[in-house]
Amino acid sequence: MEVRKEDQRDPDEKVVEIEIERLRDFKNHPFKVQADSQMKELQESIKKYGILNPLIVRPRPEGFYEIISGHRRKYAAQQLKYTKVPVIIRYMIEEDAIISMVDANLQRERISPSEKAFAYKMKYDVLKRKAGRRKCSQVDYLTGKKSVEVISEECGDSPKQVQRYLKLTKLIPELLEKVDDETMGFTIAVELASLTEKNQKTVLDAMESTLGTPNLSQAIRIKKLQEDGNFSQEKIEELLSEIKQKDIDRVVFKNEQLYRYFPSYYTAEQMKREILTLLKINMTFE
């Protein structure tokens, strides 16, 4: 089994077993732990081989241990009725713990846009605080790099893309969920994130009223309505009622149709991923 970067450890570090009840998820942990097909695979692996990679935790003054890396392993172990799990205890301050937690979880195979957005935001805020303490700016005087540039180099997205992800954190949850389940495009969501919270809710109401989703051109025009002071639900509905050619040819399934074949706890995004995976598998045998 491949050892991930965050699980590589100093040979002198000791692995100990700790009761699951003494473990706590990281505060404001942005990554979801889902009961999907990957979780089932992880549970099967743990059944056969046990937990090969210890969880990384840090002690807290309250007497529990906060998980830095291993939230999915902890969940899988709980489902298998484990009472203890192997861990490595590391002592680190809050800021270092946040960066370690983010970097560890960004290596997951599947990360939703909202997870990456809030992970980048947590890391960005830490880097900005560190730079601010040094020189009262967002630039680290030791490296001469802005926080978004540091994240870009360490995480693989361009600085502009990092900024787009940071902007996504300004979306209301209902619109952000549409980005995660891919019923609304990423770039479109970035444009709508410029709207006030009140206006975002108005857009959401208009989308539900018209059963439409703005394309990029419409999203830009919606943002312009706010800038010009002409924003209203009536105008948004008028925009969304425009016929888009790609919507004419789009294949749509209702969730009720799909739940006949998937567990009730699956999200729309999970069902879509499972369907695409099955189609890919089917193509390999043709």
Side-chain angles (χ1 to χ4, degrees), residues 27-281:
K27 184 180 179 181
N28 297 324
H29 189 249
F31 299 92
K32 302 179 184 72
V33 176
Q34 299 178 329
D36 53 15
S37 59
Q38 284 193 323
M39 178 58 68
K40 290 179 182 177
E41 291 174 6
L42 178 58
Q43 289 176 343
E44 289 300 318
S45 174
I46 291 176
K47 277 183 185 179
K48 292 181 181 179
Y49 309 110
I51 299 176
L52 301 181
N53 295 321
L55 285 69
I56 308 299
V57 302
R58 69 166 182 151
R60 303 297 293 138
E62 298 86 348
F64 60 81
Y65 292 87
E66 186 175 50
I67 301 174
I68 303 296
S69 169
H71 293 79
R72 296 180 70 253
R73 279 165 279 175
K74 174 209 168 190
Y75 178 86
Q78 281 180 312
Q79 300 308 302
L80 295 172
K81 309 302 181 184
Y82 275 50
T83 57
K84 294 183 178 181
V85 292
V87 306
I88 293 173
I89 301 172
R90 289 181 182 166
Y91 295 84
M92 57 182 72
I93 63 174
E94 180 79 8
E95 292 174 339
D96 291 342
I98 289 174
I99 290 178
S100 294
M101 180 276 295
V102 169
D103 288 347
N105 285 278
L106 282 174
Q107 297 180 54
R108 290 185 181 185
E109 183 179 344
R110 293 177 180 173
I111 302 175
S112 68
S114 66
E115 290 175 323
K116 182 180 281 193
F118 283 101
Y120 279 179
K121 183 66 164 59
M122 291 181 76
K123 185 166 184 172
Y124 174 81
D125 288 343
V126 169
L127 294 173
K128 190 170 64 172
R129 285 198 300 271
K130 286 185 173 183
R133 284 199 298 267
R134 291 169 181 156
K135 200 179 176 182
C136 297
S137 72
Q138 294 181 23
V139 179
D140 189 327
Y141 82 98
L142 294 177
T143 64
K145 296 175 182 176
K146 293 183 178 180
S147 300
V148 292
E149 293 173 342
V150 174
I151 296 173
S152 172
E153 289 186 4
E154 295 181 354
C155 302
D157 285 313
S158 70
K160 285 188 177 180
Q161 187 71 347
V162 171
Q163 289 175 327
R164 293 187 186 102
Y165 273 109
L166 292 175
K167 201 165 185 179
L168 274 192
T169 62
K170 297 179 180 179
L171 276 181
I172 60 175
E174 295 86 350
L175 290 180
L176 194 54
E177 184 178 350
K178 293 182 180 298
V179 185
D180 283 346
D181 64 22
E182 299 182 13
T183 57
M184 184 166 66
F186 178 89
T187 308
I188 296 167
V190 172
E191 294 294 333
L192 296 181
S194 298
L195 302 177
T196 65
E197 183 176 331
K198 178 182 177 181
N199 285 349
Q200 287 186 42
K201 290 179 179 177
T202 299
V203 171
L204 181 66
D205 291 339
M207 290 170 63
E208 293 175 350
S209 176
T210 61
L211 299 179
T213 301
N215 58 27
L216 181 56
S217 173
Q218 291 170 332
I220 293 172
R221 290 155 66 191
I222 289 172
K223 188 171 71 171
K224 188 71 165 53
L225 288 174
Q226 175 176 276
E227 294 170 354
D228 295 341
N230 296 321
F231 199 95
S232 70
Q233 182 167 337
E234 181 179 335
K235 289 184 179 295
I236 307 303
E237 290 180 359
E238 187 177 319
L239 276 175
L240 296 181
S241 296
E242 296 174 349
I243 297 176
K244 294 171 283 186
Q245 183 61 42
K246 68 176 184 179
D247 289 337
I248 296 175
D249 301 327
R250 186 171 58 180
V251 177
V252 178
F253 290 99
K254 293 183 178 179
N255 286 354
E256 292 75 12
Q257 294 174 295
L258 297 177
Y259 278 131
R260 295 171 56 190
Y261 308 101
F262 293 95
S264 59
Y265 55 79
Y266 265 41
T267 64
E269 182 186 13
Q270 287 175 287
M271 290 189 285
K272 178 179 178 179
R273 286 176 176 168
E274 293 289 336
I275 291 171
L276 291 175
T277 299
L278 290 171
L279 289 173
K280 288 178 182 177
I281 293 174

